[in-house]
Amino acid sequence: MPKVKVDGVEIEVPQGATVLQACELAGKEIPRFCYHERLSIAGNCRMCLVEVKPGPPKPQASCALPASDGQEISTMTPLVKKAREGVMEFLLINHPLDCPICDQGGECDLQDQAMAYGRGHSRFAENKRAVTEKYMGPVVKTVMTRCIQCTRCVRFAEEVAGVEEIGAINRGENMEITSYLEGAVTSELSGNVVDLCPVGALVSKPYSFEARPWELRKVPAIDVMDAVGTNIRIDHRFREVMRALPRVNEDVNEEWAHDKTRHCVDGLVRNRLDRPWVRRDGRLQPASWEQAFAVIAERLAGAGGDEVAAIAGDLQDLESVFALKALLRAYGSTLHESRQDGALFDASHPRAYRFNSTIAGIETAPAILLIGTNPRWEAPLVNTRIRKAVKAGAKLFRLGEAVDLTYPVEELGEDLSRLGSLPDAVSDAFAGKENAAVIVGMGALLQPGAYEAARATAAALGATFNLLHTAASRVGALDVGFAAEGGVEAIRARAGALKALFLLGADEMDTSAFAETFTVYIGTHGDRGVRHADVILPGAAYTEKHGTYVNLEGRVQLSEFAVHPPGEAREDWTILRALSDVLGKRLPFDSLSELRAAMAEEFPHLGTVGLSDPGPLPALTGAAPGVAGTVVYPIEDFYLTNPIARASPTLQRCSAEILHGETFREAAE
């Protein structure tokens, strides 16, 4: 490892590190605009100047200079200070004095570095140039006069998102950043350019002029828009969530978040259930909690065993699922299911339904076989990791409909029967390779025998077996045993024998089979799940409660309470706890800590935050059955996959414009 001196202090740096990284390892702050640790090096803002000996007697850009043994780096000399002041002065020649009205104000890199490293005045009196605004779609607003051409957005779109729709035109003073033909950027990760932009040139369109950062209270949380478990920060003012931003977690989401994560928050205040409802004479009528509970108690009188069933939805916290299972157990029922999409697979062992390669680990896979999955829509941040693997040389094969994943894929067709006769190219790519992976989507698992065939294929190829879930609550629910023999179809087949069905936020399934069954819906929005509900109880959204979530790789994570639920809505587990008293089936916990203690006692790994090791994957018993049928991907519209997203005006517009080609006029047009 090279040894360098930074301001007289000798340190060792990793081979291949840059001078900027060496300075940061030594605890020195180096200003920068174009450099970003997750993007390629551009070296075009020149703000990171330092003196390096041996070398030319002038400041050098530390981001593009490799650190080598024996270097002496100076970060605070008068020459460096004067050079940075000069660079800042040039950057501000054309930058408008927009700070009082700029959405980036208060969290702007240019503001901070101008104060720390700039001069107190400018020697330029010429008129500032102006640049016409560019259209980039429903989630990114542009004020391109502020742009300093750092090209972070260009590099992100090309290297991470894989959608080369942002670039630079013209040269010199006339250079401008724009989207292709000034159209909407079609990447589901486009909102990340707002975080990357070091000035106010790219800002969040839905959040524009809504709040200032110092007005907001910031709460760590976990995203529920997919099963990745993206670490986010909820920024709220009073009782309204203003925005959701990603937090850094190298093992899960790095520092990215997809557009659904960021912009679903305006759906949290629309179409909300804020009071109980009871169906009387075929019509839903408002009721008190006592009246709603009394109706449920009356209809469940004398019920027992499998006369009571429950289906949990995709956005539920683990506490509410555990409480619902405890209530059904008090009735002696085993009819509880979390796979409302109908996917069938072995739920007896965690390794059988986890993403076993781990999210970060899939980057190192030398060969990957996708079976019935579109990771770009089902888990965009897993897709970015697969893209890294492909860029590093991994061979990728897909069995399923051909869709653009932003990287090259060798197609194997759409018929699952090909699992029994994969071409030699697949076997050759996997032969003798460590960390190779087979990734199976929920769309493939709708076909009988597909799970066993996929397991057998992974074993034959010597690859790690992975399920790519689409629901935030799925893996945690399976961990607590919230699964029934035969899946949701087994419950649907018993609809006529049921005295009651509990739907815990289950909005992504056809409930017409339960039209004559007494149904209790607990949820946040008046969405699909309430169509045949006889009693509706208003629950809390993920931003309105403390919750435990287990992501697709089995990582236990905690989300914190940000805002209060609207009206009379309550946290789901507290609803079930209060209802259990009325039903005479009192649940044995009175507080969140008691509930979590009971859950950890029964399932010890759920009491520890992080990724647990459940042991090896049990071998399949018996020969894998044959499988036939084409794959149908589970997500038809990326932006409208759950009740919160469907209630969001921003995501409705994203769906209409980006996926369905509708055009929208801006106010200036």
Side-chain angles (χ1 to χ4, degrees):
M1 291 173 56
K3 290 184 178 181
V4 301
K5 282 188 176 180
V6 180
D7 291 341
V9 178
E10 186 174 80
I11 62 168
E12 282 190 344
V13 298
Q15 192 68 42
T18 63
V19 169
L20 186 150
Q21 291 169 328
C23 293
E24 290 191 331
L25 287 172
K28 302 296 180 179
E29 180 182 325
I30 304 297
R32 83 291 295 269
F33 291 112
C34 69
Y35 174 79
H36 192 278
E37 55 270 16
R38 301 188 196 278
L39 305 176
S40 62
I41 295 171
N44 56 9
C45 79
R46 320 307 288 181
M47 194 64 202
C48 61
L49 297 173
V50 296
E51 276 193 87
V52 181
K53 298 178 182 179
K58 64 177 184 178
Q60 300 187 62
S62 60
C63 70
L65 184 64
S68 58
D69 201 49
Q71 282 179 332
E72 295 184 17
I73 305 166
S74 301
T75 67
M76 297 297 292
T77 64
L79 180 64
V80 170
K81 183 175 183 294
K82 185 177 180 181
R84 290 174 180 171
E85 288 177 351
V87 170
M88 181 60 69
E89 197 171 357
F90 273 107
L91 289 174
L92 294 176
I93 290 174
N94 289 312
H95 195 80
L97 299 177
D98 272 355
C99 297
I101 61 163
C102 176
D103 276 302
Q104 202 80 347
E107 48 191 8
C108 173
D109 291 349
L110 187 62
Q111 275 185 333
D112 296 340
Q113 293 183 40
M115 289 293 294
Y117 303 101
R119 299 167 63 94
H121 62 279
S122 173
R123 291 170 287 179
F124 290 89
E126 290 79 5
N127 290 331
K128 295 177 180 288
R129 75 162 187 166
V131 181
T132 57
E133 311 309 352
K134 316 299 180 187
Y135 184 72
M136 289 193 179
V139 302
V140 180
K141 175 185 175 182
T142 65
V143 189
M144 300 313 293
T145 300
R146 302 171 186 161
C147 179
I148 62 171
Q149 289 89 41
C150 71
T151 69
R152 281 186 179 182
C153 55
V154 178
R155 285 174 284 147
F156 173 84
E158 179 182 351
E159 297 166 13
V160 179
V163 178
E164 299 180 12
E165 295 179 353
I166 303 177
I169 57 174
N170 304 327
R171 299 181 67 187
E173 187 183 18
N174 295 320
M175 180 178 174
E176 299 178 13
I177 302 294
T178 181
S179 59
Y180 180 66
L181 298 180
E182 296 194 29
V185 179
T186 59
S187 171
E188 62 285 344
L189 300 170
S190 63
N192 290 290
V193 300
V194 173
D195 291 347
L196 288 172
C197 185
V199 296
L202 303 176
V203 294
S204 172
K205 185 174 285 186
Y207 176 70
S208 183
F209 302 125
E210 291 293 325
R212 287 297 197 183
W214 54 83
E215 298 178 300
L216 305 177
R217 181 169 174 260
K218 302 165 179 62
V219 178
I222 301 299
D223 174 52
V224 298
M225 293 296 111
D226 57 26
V228 171
T230 300
N231 287 221
I232 60 174
R233 189 187 83 198
I234 298 296
D235 289 2
H236 68 95
R237 183 175 60 191
F238 304 116
R239 297 188 63 170
E240 183 178 0
V241 174
M242 305 304 295
R243 63 179 179 178
L245 298 176
R247 291 183 288 131
V248 176
N249 188 320
E250 300 293 346
D251 295 324
V252 182
N253 58 295
E254 298 179 292
E255 61 182 79
W256 313 127
H258 57 71
D259 292 347
K260 194 162 51 174
T261 297
R262 292 174 179 274
H263 299 295
C264 71
V265 294
D266 56 358
L268 291 168
V269 294
R270 291 171 171 84
N271 298 343
R272 285 299 299 270
L273 298 171
D274 59 359
R275 64 185 304 173
W277 295 78
V278 173
R279 193 178 298 276
R280 296 188 179 97
D281 301 324
R283 296 176 61 87
L284 285 171
Q285 299 179 10
S288 66
W289 282 101
E290 292 78 7
Q291 291 170 332
F293 283 176
V295 171
I296 299 172
E298 180 183 350
R299 296 299 296 268
L300 264 71
D306 287 345
E307 292 178 323
V308 183
I311 300 172
D314 295 347
L315 311 182
Q316 298 307 308
D317 58 295
L318 192 52
E319 286 83 356
S320 62
V321 175
F322 180 80
L324 183 54
K325 184 188 177 186
L327 183 60
L328 262 68
R329 185 162 50 193
Y331 279 97
S333 174
T334 59
L335 291 180
H336 38 62
E337 183 54 71
S338 57
R339 297 168 290 183
Q340 59 172 334
D341 54 7
L344 289 177
F345 48 84
D346 180 9
S348 64
H349 191 278
R351 287 286 186 212
Y353 54 78
R354 281 188 181 183
F355 194 85
N356 293 303
S357 291
T358 72
I359 295 172
I362 201 67
E363 289 182 16
T364 62
I368 302 172
L369 171 61
L370 303 177
I371 302 175
T373 179
N374 174 11
R376 183 174 175 184
W377 278 10
E378 295 169 28
L381 299 182
V382 172
N383 198 55
T384 63
R385 305 276 191 163
I386 298 175
R387 178 176 166 81
K388 283 186 183 181
V390 173
K391 289 173 71 176
K395 299 291 185 182
L396 192 73
F397 305 90
R398 171 171 52 196
L399 187 60
E401 181 185 351
V403 293
D404 180 16
L405 296 179
T406 74
Y407 42 79
V409 184
E410 185 171 330
E411 303 292 348
L412 302 177
E414 299 181 29
D415 196 333
L416 287 171
S417 63
R418 298 209 62 187
L419 280 175
S421 57
L422 293 175
D424 292 340
V426 179
S427 303
D428 294 343
F430 278 76
K433 301 289 179 61
E434 292 186 9
N435 302 324
V438 170
I439 301 176
V440 186
M442 295 298 107
L445 301 180
L446 298 177
Q447 301 293 342
Y451 175 79
E452 292 80 4
R455 282 277 303 272
T457 299
L461 295 173
T464 305
F465 179 75
N466 303 278
L467 289 194
L468 188 65
H469 294 280
T470 57
S473 63
R474 181 74 53 83
V475 174
L478 296 173
D479 279 355
V480 298
F482 208 87
E485 186 71 29
V488 73
E489 289 303 322
I491 298 178
R492 188 176 278 117
R494 290 181 55 86
L498 294 178
K499 282 195 172 182
L501 172 69
F502 287 88
L503 296 179
L504 184 61
D507 290 284
E508 311 307 320
M509 60 175 287
D510 180 11
T511 59
S512 57
F514 305 106
E516 304 301 321
T517 304
F518 177 73
T519 303
V520 179
Y521 176 85
I522 305 173
T524 58
H525 289 69
D527 204 79
R528 299 169 182 170
V530 304
R531 289 176 182 172
H532 302 105
D534 296 286
V535 177
I536 300 173
L537 305 177
Y542 69 106
T543 57
E544 300 159 1
K545 56 188 173 185
H546 296 279
T548 302
Y549 297 92
V550 184
N551 75 348
L552 52 81
E553 61 184 349
R555 187 180 304 275
V556 179
Q557 303 185 107
L558 301 181
S559 185
E560 294 188 15
F561 165 92
V563 297
H564 290 281
E568 298 179 40
R570 296 292 183 267
E571 293 186 39
D572 301 348
W573 77 265
T574 63
I575 295 173
L576 294 165
R577 169 63 185 83
L579 177 60
S580 69
D581 273 344
V582 179
L583 297 177
K585 308 286 186 181
R586 188 176 186 278
L587 297 179
F589 38 77
D590 296 320
S591 66
L592 180 66
S593 58
E594 290 181 5
L595 189 160
R596 285 179 170 171
M599 189 165 62
E601 182 179 0
E602 188 171 351
F603 306 99
H605 72 284
L606 298 177
T608 304
V609 173
L611 189 60
S612 61
D613 182 5
L617 175 64
L620 278 173
T621 57
V627 59
T630 57
V631 170
V632 178
Y633 293 141
I635 297 179
E636 297 179 358
D637 188 321
F638 170 73
Y639 296 101
L640 305 176
T641 55
N642 59 66
I644 299 174
R646 287 190 286 270
S648 164
T650 301
L651 296 183
Q652 288 174 7
R653 176 166 172 175
C654 286
S655 172
E657 183 171 355
I658 297 174
L659 299 185
H660 299 104
E662 294 185 27
T663 57
F664 292 82
R665 286 190 173 273
E666 295 295 299
E669 298 177 320

